[in-house]
Amino acid sequence: QAQLVESGGGLVQAGGSLRLSCVASGRILSTYTMGWFRQAPGKEREFVASIIWSGAQTSYADSVKGRFTISRDNAKSTVYLQMNSLKSEDTAVYYCAGSMRGVATMRRGDFDSWGQGTQVTVSS
């Protein structure tokens, strides 16, 4: 059984930074594309960023480009999301996800493994 466990969420002031981590176990292989999604209250879950197994290709939502950075350490089975210059609109539950696609996909339907999420709250 695949497991993804997120951590690193919390409360931060606007303009601040947080780093989310996601540890993968089970059938999640180092060859998986990994991604981050988020869901704010009353809104659909939306794509944030993704990274292929080698780290050579990444994708970002326009709303986070230049502020967020996704990275991974396959030796530690961990993917990270460094979030800088946080805004109140970044407030959401952030989910880690895994995909067998070999590209840095942005499609929610391409991801078949999901974590339970970690809350990020940005106060203005």
Side-chain angles (χ1 to χ4, degrees):
Q1 185 73 23
Q3 274 196 316
L4 297 173
V5 180
E6 305 96 335
S7 63
L11 174 64
V12 63
Q13 288 189 333
S17 298
L18 280 175
R19 188 177 80 155
L20 305 183
S21 299
C22 170
V23 178
S25 62
R27 66 176 179 85
I28 297 291
L29 304 175
S30 59
T31 54
Y32 269 48
T33 287
M34 299 300 295
W36 289 95
F37 288 74
R38 66 186 182 186
Q39 187 167 17
K43 294 189 177 182
E44 294 287 320
R45 190 171 299 188
E46 65 175 5
F47 170 79
V48 175
S50 63
I51 185 169
I52 66 170
W53 70 275
S54 68
Q57 183 186 65
T58 58
S59 294
Y60 294 94
D62 288 342
S63 59
V64 306
K65 278 181 182 176
R67 300 188 299 122
F68 290 12
T69 302
I70 189 170
S71 62
R72 65 190 294 164
D73 184 339
N74 289 334
K76 296 181 179 179
S77 299
T78 302
V79 61
Y80 305 97
L81 185 68
Q82 178 66 44
M83 306 186 294
N84 298 328
S85 302
L86 283 161
K87 306 175 182 179
S88 57
E89 51 262 45
D90 294 319
T91 295
V93 177
Y94 283 71
Y95 297 91
C96 177
S99 169
M100 292 185 288
R101 291 293 306 276
V103 296
T105 180
M106 295 187 283
R107 293 177 51 190
R108 179 179 170 181
D110 286 340
F111 291 83
D112 57 6
S113 297
W114 294 86
Q116 293 300 305
T118 185
Q119 177 70 47
V120 171
T121 302
V122 183
S123 63
S124 56

